[in-house]
């Protein structure tokens, strides 16, 4: 609902980038769930390697369609991006191994703020009232789900174990 408020389909024209971002949100959500499950049984280094390999293989055909040889400067920027992204994924995977998603995911709310700031500062896209309302709807929904799930976990009773004499 929050994404629909921000995008306002039917009121404003949807661009291919809008549709791509919705797909990316679904892909990131799915990858978080997979990473969380894998982090319970595998070391963080293995999970990050598997995710990196999967993304490279999955995106290679799309990259081949629009391939342009990068310059040395672009290679340096890509290398730095790879280092920081890998470090971030490693830290995220370690967090998944030690905490439930309801604890780790609210931190991703900051992505909304960074995306809005980057869009306004770098691309001149104004932050209008609908972006604020849509973002607040997303944050409110995720906060409610986090609060509800934490309450459900507290209410789960662990049956007493029989004593051995």
């Amino acid at each position: 609902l929050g994404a629909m408020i921000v995008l306002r389909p039917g009121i404003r024209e949807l661009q291919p980038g809008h549709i791509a971002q919705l797909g990316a949100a679904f892909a990131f959500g799915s990858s978080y769930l997979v990473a969380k499950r894998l982090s319970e049984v595998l070391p963080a280094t293995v999970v990050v390697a598997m995710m990196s390999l999967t993304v490279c293989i999955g995106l290679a055909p799309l990259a081949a369609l629009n391939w342009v040889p990068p310059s040395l400067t672009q290679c340096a920027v890509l290398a730095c991006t790879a280092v920081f992204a890998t470090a971030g994924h490693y830290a995220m995977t370690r967090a998944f191994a030690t905490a439930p998603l309801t604890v780790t995911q609210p931190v991703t709310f900051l992505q909304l703020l960074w995306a809005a700031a980057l869009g306004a500062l770098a691309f001149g896209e104004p932050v209008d009232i609908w972006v604020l309302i849509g973002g607040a709807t997303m944050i409110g929904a995720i906060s409610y789900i986090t609060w509800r799930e934490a309450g459900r976990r507290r209410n789960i009773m662990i049956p007493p174990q029989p004593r051995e004499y």
Side-chain angles (χ1 to χ4, degrees):
L1 180 62
M4 292 299 115
I5 292 170
V6 170
L7 294 176
R8 299 182 301 280
I11 296 174
R12 72 180 223 189
E13 181 183 352
L14 292 182
Q15 303 293 324
H18 296 125
I19 305 303
Q21 189 58 44
L22 290 173
F26 177 77
F28 272 107
S30 299
S31 72
Y32 285 150
L33 292 173
V34 169
K36 173 62 177 165
R37 292 289 181 163
L38 289 175
S39 68
E40 294 170 359
V41 295
L42 296 171
T45 52
V46 174
V47 174
V48 171
M50 289 171 56
M51 298 286 277
S52 297
L53 186 61
T54 302
V55 168
C56 286
I57 292 170
L59 294 178
L62 298 173
L65 291 174
N66 299 298
W67 182 256
V68 175
S71 67
L72 285 177
T73 303
Q74 291 169 331
C75 285
V77 170
L78 289 171
C80 288
T81 302
V83 167
F84 288 116
T86 301
H89 281 108
Y90 179 77
M92 180 184 68
T93 304
R94 293 290 306 264
F96 286 163
T98 58
L101 283 175
T102 54
V103 173
T104 60
Q105 288 311 288
V107 175
T108 61
F109 293 156
L110 292 174
Q111 290 176 354
L112 288 172
L113 299 175
W114 284 111
L118 182 64
L121 297 173
F123 300 107
E125 186 174 314
V127 179
D128 61 8
I129 189 68
W130 298 109
V131 170
L132 297 174
I133 291 171
T137 302
M138 288 182 243
I139 290 172
I142 295 169
S143 297
Y144 170 73
I145 291 168
T146 301
W147 172 75
R148 184 190 69 202
E149 292 300 315
R152 283 184 178 172
R153 255 195 312 284
R154 272 194 306 269
N155 293 333
I156 295 174
M157 298 286 293
I158 299 174
Q161 301 295 320
R163 292 186 181 183
E164 292 183 29
Y165 294 100

